Amino acid sequence: MAATGQLEGVIAPVVTPFGEDGTADAKRFVEQAQWLLEDGCTGLAPFGTTSEGNSLGLDERMELLEELVDAGVDPAVLMPGTGTCSLSDTITLTQHAVDIGCAGALVLPPFYYPNPTDDGLFRYFAELIEEVGDDGLALYLYHIPQMSGVGYSIDLIQRLRGEFPEVVAGLKDSSGDWSNMERILTEVPDFDLFPGSESYLLAGLKLGGAGVISAVANVNARAMRRVFDNFESEDAEAFQASVTAFRKTAQSYPLVQGMKALIAHYRNDPVWADVRAPLLPMPENEIREMAARLARDHDFVLRFTATT
Amino acid sequence: MAATGQLEGVIAPVVTPFGEDGTADAKRFVEQAQWLLEDGCTGLAPFGTTSEGNSLGLDERMELLEELVDAGVDPAVLMPGTGTCSLSDTITLTQHAVDIGCAGALVLPPFYYPNPTDDGLFRYFAELIEEVGDDGLALYLYHIPQMSGVGYSIDLIQRLRGEFPEVVAGLKDSSGDWSNMERILTEVPDFDLFPGSESYLLAGLKLGGAGVISAVANVNARAMRRVFDNFESEDAEAFQASVTAFRKTAQSYPLVQGMKALIAHYRNDPVWADVRAPLLPMPENEIREMAARLARDHDFVLRFTATT
């Protein structure tokens, strides 16, 4: 299924825990990442939107990534977010990801200037690729225009694919716009499309999609994996209906705070619920309500002891 | 006129030159900064929007700032942009600015997450101030919602002023919304308001404003200074009319590219015209047209030899 890249399946944008002093907490981070791989994730995409990646410092991102690899996580399952507003900082983070052997890098377009031209974005990526060099570099474009204000047009994707076919490996589409995902799946050959929501997982797979990269995979990867592993079976629709329903409930709460809240609740570790400003954590009573509602409506319990 | 901060007058968000290899060019940068201070600027605000500050790497920003001070520019005239999406990186840059003695730091709100709450933004600034410490720290809030997507409400300004009166010194209002500037000038006491456009310079000064921080000060500071120095004289309106008219012509071209284009043209140094992706430089014929039009309609010639 995967065309040019090594990554496929269910990929979690790992949430980033902060310790009592507000700094990124490598110990909890590594523990959670390892658990996600046990829970069914085929890959990890730290430093995405759900990870509060843009709230982390450059040094924090690089240190956390190194901690993962030092702890034994195979870099071949890693697709860290490396896109910033600045070409220089994006080169620094992308080069670092390549140097430690990550399977890919998930790259936001530069998002400070509104409405950049496709020519300007093309130049940005051409310079990024030239600077990092294409040996071992696999870029996944991160399309989330409702957050970043800047997206990837189909024209730009085609142009980047045409010029850098060995490097530009795929795209995460978090726009929520199925017609855009469908166009990419049908019009861009040999390109790994990951919907940013598991609601489109089965529909994507049927058109050759590579899997899913979803916030909710932080707590519900196992169920998504059932869709991915069985997408051609007669149970696929029922498996999909289950993850779609779960997501619908989950996203009635703020997703970043909600994922962390569920981990805090089931790990019995309130520190997990914190987020970095400008975000604010979910109040305790809302955390309890969310957990209770998911348990009641979706039979959901998070088990952090190894269950495999 | 200036209330809490040391800075007032005409402040230029210095444009950032890139060398032939695309890296920030410290030599040209320092030369231009020194010329701006000769040309009438009372202060410099490197790494704002016009400076392509968010297209620079953290290291580049710190190095360029050190080059300025090493070359003899008094840090008491400097108000570098230090606001990023990330609290950690913003702390790094702000601490660095304080350490080398800058008069202030111009801080964008964290701008990745759309619609942060005022409570979340307050927490962000409280943590920034706590981390950097308030000894010698003067923050100027950078309000440019049409670029950053996130602005400062009057409520938030009042709350930050109330909690950190020694630190939160002023605001640059680049919204272009005079009614917002007027409210800040009349409702927030002892607070230095800098319009982001010289079109509001005289009107601001009449209500106690601190001056102006404008892209166009990169080429027209001398004329703005005439307004600032004579704002209570009978010639003030005529001086203001001249800078307003100049700006109107200038901003019919893209301002970042336009400022650099004029410097390239009058320095006879085409390297100056380049910008960093995702921006693209102005085509040569447009540069010539812009220069010719400003010369014809505004008697404008840029002289880079010392004229004082």
Side-chain angles (χ1 to χ4, degrees), chain A residues 2-5 122 125-126 129 137-141 152-171 184 187-193:
Chain A
T4 58
F122 183 85
F125 282 95
I129 292 166
L137 173 63
L139 291 184
Y140 294 85
L141 311 176
Y152 295 94
S153 72
I154 306 268
D155 275 359
L156 177 62
I157 297 167
Q158 297 279 28
R159 220 172 129 193
L160 288 168
R161 277 290 296 158
E163 190 76 15
F164 309 105
E166 306 299 319
V167 173
V168 180
L171 180 141
I184 294 172
E187 295 179 23
V188 188
D190 301 329
F191 189 65
D192 291 342
L193 189 281

Side-chain angles (χ1 to χ4, degrees), chain A residues 49-307:
Chain A
T49 300
T50 307
S51 323
E52 299 168 82
N54 288 299
S55 298
L56 300 174
L58 290 192
D59 289 347
E60 282 180 310
R61 293 197 203 202
M62 292 191 278
E63 282 163 22
L64 287 173
L65 202 59
E66 289 169 24
E67 293 274 0
L68 276 188
V69 176
D70 289 350
V73 172
D74 183 354
V77 304
L78 295 177
M79 185 202 284
T82 63
T84 72
C85 298
S86 146
L87 181 59
S88 324
D89 288 342
T90 301
I91 289 169
T92 300
L93 291 178
T94 306
Q95 183 69 61
H96 177 260
V98 170
D99 287 347
I100 67 176
C102 291
L106 187 59
V107 192
L108 283 168
F111 54 88
Y112 182 67
Y113 295 100
N115 308 312
T117 60
D118 275 3
D119 283 347
L121 291 171
F122 183 85
R123 180 181 170 189
Y124 180 94
F125 282 95
E127 293 183 0
L128 170 63
I129 292 166
E130 186 186 352
E131 198 64 41
V132 177
D134 60 1
D135 196 28
L137 173 63
L139 291 184
Y140 294 85
L141 311 176
Y142 187 7
H143 181 63
I144 184 167
Q146 73 277 24
M147 295 297 289
S148 59
V150 178
Y152 295 94
S153 72
I154 306 268
D155 275 359
L156 177 62
I157 297 167
Q158 297 279 28
R159 220 172 129 193
L160 288 168
R161 277 290 296 158
E163 190 76 15
F164 309 105
E166 306 299 319
V167 173
V168 180
L171 180 141
K172 176 186 179 189
D173 191 336
S174 294
S175 68
D177 175 2
W178 170 249
S179 68
N180 192 61
M181 298 179 228
E182 201 173 22
R183 273 195 68 189
I184 294 172
L185 285 162
T186 53
E187 295 179 23
V188 188
D190 301 329
F191 189 65
D192 291 342
L193 189 281
F194 293 90
S197 159
E198 65 275 24
S199 302
Y200 307 105
L201 173 53
L202 181 57
L205 292 172
K206 286 182 172 174
L207 292 178
V212 65
I213 306 173
S214 164
V216 180
N218 275 288
V219 301
N220 202 33
R222 187 175 296 267
M224 296 180 202
R225 186 62 186 277
R226 215 162 45 153
V227 178
F228 182 77
D229 289 343
N230 302 283
F231 89 95
E232 291 176 311
S233 86
E234 59 185 14
D235 296 324
E237 297 288 350
F239 293 157
Q240 176 64 48
S242 161
V243 300
T244 301
F246 184 92
R247 182 180 177 95
K248 200 173 163 198
T249 304
Q251 72 181 13
S252 62
Y253 302 87
L255 274 180
V256 177
Q257 291 90 332
M259 293 302 108
K260 292 179 115 172
L262 290 172
I263 297 165
H265 182 80
Y266 283 107
R267 282 196 186 274
N268 197 21
D269 180 6
V271 166
W272 255 109
D274 202 9
V275 288
R276 186 168 275 182
L279 299 185
L280 290 173
M282 197 181 271
E284 292 244 2
N285 61 335
E286 206 176 323
I287 295 179
R288 283 193 297 273
E289 183 210 294
M290 182 186 191
R293 193 168 148 206
L294 287 167
R296 186 190 66 215
D297 296 352
H298 303 280
D299 228 358
F300 175 77
V301 176
L302 215 44
R303 287 188 183 82
F304 282 104
T305 46
T307 53

Side-chain angles (χ1 to χ4, degrees), chain A residues 49 52 54-58 60 85-86 88-89 111-114 119-120 123 146-147 274-278 280, chain B residues 49 52 54-58 60 85-86 88-89 111-114 119-120 123-124 146-147 274-276 278 280:
Chain A
T49 300
E52 299 168 82
N54 288 299
S55 298
L56 300 174
L58 290 192
E60 282 180 310
C85 298
S86 146
S88 324
D89 288 342
F111 54 88
Y112 182 67
Y113 295 100
D119 283 347
R123 180 181 170 189
Q146 73 277 24
M147 295 297 289
D274 202 9
V275 288
R276 186 168 275 182
L280 290 173
Chain B
T49 299
E52 299 170 82
N54 288 298
S55 297
L56 300 174
L58 291 192
E60 281 180 310
C85 297
S86 145
S88 324
D89 288 341
F111 54 89
Y112 182 67
Y113 295 101
D119 284 348
R123 181 181 169 189
Y124 180 94
Q146 73 277 24
M147 295 297 290
D274 202 11
V275 289
R276 186 168 274 181
L280 290 174

Side-chain angles (χ1 to χ4, degrees), chain B residues 274-288:
Chain B
D274 202 11
V275 289
R276 186 168 274 181
L279 298 186
L280 290 174
M282 197 181 271
E284 292 243 3
N285 61 334
E286 207 176 322
I287 296 179
R288 282 191 299 271

